[in-house]
Every structure is written in C-alpha cells, then in structure tokens.
Amino acid sequence: MSERRWCGPGYPEWEADEDGRVYRDDVEVVPYVDRQGYRRVWGGGSGPVAVHTLVATAFHGPCPDGMVCLHWDDVPDNNRPVNLRWGTKRQNFDDSVRNGRRKRALTSDETATRVVELRAKHELLQYANGTWGPHVTTGVTHDVTLT
C-alpha cells in the first residue's frame, strides 16, 4: 500500500498517495478528466481542484506565491509526487519545449542570424538567375551556399 499524506490546511479533508490518487474523508475519489487532459476532483464549495495540486501540496508543501504545479514529463495525468514540483510559468514553458510539446521561440540574436542567412540565400538565387543586385557579395561574405 502506498504512503498517504495529508494535503494540508488549504485542503483539510484531502489526502494523496504516492501513486497520485486522492482521498476525501478516507475514501478514494475518482477524478474526471478536463479538456486539457488534467485530472480534477470536486472540492466541495471551492469547485474543481486539480489532482496534481493536491498531490504536490501533500508531498512538497503548499504552493509558493507566484508558482504553479509542474509535471516534469508534461503528461497531465501522471500525478505521482516524483513527477510534480512547484515552479514558475516560464519553467513550465521550458519543460514543454524540452519534452517536445512546444517549439522554442528564437532569441533576437538567432533571429538576426537567420535573417542574414535568408537575405544571403536570396541574393545568391538572384545571382544564379541573372537578376542579382548590388549586394550580391553578401552571400560570399557570410559564407552561405545554396543547398
């Protein structure tokens, strides 16, 4: 049987276990799955509560101000305590990039480099087509080849 822990004063009637299950008044509560794939339970008068929030609170303490509950693997129904942690929204975004759920935006330096490369390729294509302009040497200067 997995260890159960109390979810704290914010959720006084709730407990959570190491397998990501939650209990209210010592009875396991079967969650529903929301549109984003997260498991939620009805918290009484407070409305729905995310299971990952209950489990993280029970095993990692209350949520610090400005933080959210993060799933290390970005699998919304993997609510085991080892997969959960408190972090910033930025860290949550970085997790989604690391896990391949979202593409990282280019930095301004990467964007500038990409623009120079695209301009150079465009000028080389103009040269190859005989329609080149006065800045055709840009392609040579930046060591860009047609591929």
Side-chain angles (χ1 to χ4, degrees):
M1 182 170 194
S2 26
E3 177 190 1
R4 277 199 216 171
R5 291 192 185 178
W6 180 52
C7 295
Y11 308 98
E13 66 274 5
W14 290 92
E15 292 180 317
D17 71 16
E18 294 172 319
D19 294 322
R21 293 183 298 243
V22 292
Y23 304 82
R24 186 173 191 181
D25 299 324
D26 215 30
V27 176
E28 183 176 354
V29 178
V30 178
Y32 69 92
V33 179
D34 70 13
R35 283 189 249 176
Q36 290 82 31
Y38 293 99
R39 295 180 185 273
R40 296 188 181 275
V41 292
W42 286 100
S46 62
V49 179
V51 170
H52 59 264
T53 299
L54 292 170
V55 175
T57 301
F59 285 85
H60 306 305
C63 181
D65 289 342
M67 300 282 195
V68 294
C69 184
L70 309 181
H71 290 80
W72 181 254
D73 63 2
D74 274 339
V75 176
D77 66 349
N78 182 358
N79 294 312
R80 294 174 304 123
V82 296
N83 188 51
L84 302 175
R85 71 188 193 287
W86 301 118
T88 64
K89 288 182 180 182
R90 175 60 198 211
Q91 289 170 320
N92 198 27
F93 177 84
D94 291 343
D95 282 356
S96 68
V97 171
R98 184 192 71 245
N99 292 320
R101 290 177 56 120
R102 189 176 305 191
K103 291 190 181 210
R104 179 180 64 81
L106 296 177
T107 65
S108 57
D109 287 343
E110 290 170 326
T111 301
T113 299
R114 186 72 180 128
V115 167
V116 168
E117 289 172 353
L118 289 172
R119 283 184 184 155
K121 284 185 178 184
H122 176 72
E123 291 169 356
L124 284 171
L125 284 170
Q126 284 182 320
Y127 179 76
N129 292 332
T131 59
W132 59 279
H135 303 292
V136 71
T137 57
T138 304
V140 176
T141 305
H142 293 286
D143 224 11
V144 176
T145 57
L146 292 172
T147 53

